[in-house]
């Protein structure tokens, strides 16, 4: 019994710490992933909500929003974590170990797998740095995708999945992207993406 409580306590602590970072890197930010080799969309915009956090942990709770709020204000308790089988513990442990690795996922090039499938999980796209894989769904069949699953490693990524050549960032609420996280700025005009970026970023394209 003490081992179970110890596991729950560790999980609660790590969930709360990672929720703070999730808010900083995902709830408050949006990212654009581009590769000229994408087939289903010209680009994808990563847009994450607080309700998506729970799904990345492997845990279940009656309200995803309440779960996130409890994590973010450090009020989550051991009693909020259900009793888990050994297999469930292992799965949740792997996911939570992967959570902090999401924070810098888009600072470097990622492989983009469209129509990603892993067991019974189907995603519009998955992005991976070969250490973790973050899967997304497109609720409205548009360019905007939301997180659906988080996996350790890169299983089920096809050999011909393209590497992102450009990753942009903007703050939530902003209409245009004003920061390049990865890739060459010349791609903005080369692939007609200028309507998506700020005037300041356009000027940087022409600066030397």
């Amino acid at each position: 019994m003490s081992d179970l409580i110890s596991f729950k306590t560790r999980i609660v602590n790590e969930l709360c710490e990672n929720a703070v970072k999730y808010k900083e890197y995902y709830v408050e930010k949006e990212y654009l992933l581009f590769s000229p080799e994408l087939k289903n969309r010209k680009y994808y915009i990563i847009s994450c909500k607080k309700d998506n956090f729970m799904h990345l942990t492997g845990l279940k709770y009656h309200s995803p929003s309440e779960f996130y709020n409890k994590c973010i204000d450090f009020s989550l308790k051991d009693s909020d974590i259900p009793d888990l089988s050994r297999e469930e513990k292992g799965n949740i442990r792997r996911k939570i170990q992967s959570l902090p690795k999401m924070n810098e996922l888009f600072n470097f090039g990622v492989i983009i797998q469209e129509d990603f499938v892993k067991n019974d999980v189907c995603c519009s796209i998955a992005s991976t740095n070969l250490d973790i894989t973050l899967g997304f769904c497109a609720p409205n069949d548009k360019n905007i995708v939301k997180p659906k699953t988080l996996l350790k490693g890169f299983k089920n990524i096809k050999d011909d999945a393209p590497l992102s050549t450009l990753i942009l960032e903007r703050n939530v609420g902003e209409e245009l992207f004003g920061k390049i996280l990865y890739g060459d700025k010349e791609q903005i005009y080369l692939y007609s993406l200028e309507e998506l970026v700020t005037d300041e970023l356009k000027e940087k394209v022409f600066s030397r």
Side-chain angles (χ1 to χ4, degrees), residues 187-203:
Q187 293 181 80
I188 292 173
Y189 280 96
L190 182 61
Y191 295 107
S192 301
L193 299 171
E194 59 269 24
E195 74 278 3
L196 299 170
V197 304
T198 62
D199 290 339
E200 291 78 9
L201 188 52
K202 290 176 186 176
E203 292 175 4

Side-chain angles (χ1 to χ4, degrees), residues 98-187:
S98 298
L99 279 173
K101 298 178 181 180
M102 290 173 49
N103 301 337
E104 297 184 353
L105 179 62
F106 299 126
N107 287 352
F108 306 94
V110 293
I111 296 172
I112 306 171
Q113 171 69 61
E114 296 180 291
D115 300 321
F116 175 80
V117 178
K118 176 69 166 63
N119 297 330
D120 59 344
V121 177
C122 300
C123 300
S124 302
I125 68 163
S127 59
T128 180
N129 59 2
L130 304 184
D131 192 10
I132 63 169
T133 298
L134 191 53
F136 302 88
C137 62
N140 300 316
D141 196 32
K142 296 182 179 179
N143 295 76
I144 298 176
V145 294
K146 302 183 181 300
K148 183 175 183 179
T149 189
L150 175 63
L151 304 169
K152 184 177 181 180
F154 60 101
K155 292 182 179 179
N156 291 48
I157 298 295
K158 297 179 181 178
D159 293 338
D160 61 351
L163 179 69
S164 61
T165 57
L166 185 67
I167 300 178
L168 306 178
E169 177 191 280
R170 70 183 177 193
N171 293 323
V172 167
E174 295 178 344
E175 183 179 354
L176 303 174
F177 291 88
K179 184 177 181 180
I180 297 176
L181 294 182
Y182 176 82
D184 297 326
K185 57 187 179 182
E186 288 77 10
Q187 293 181 80

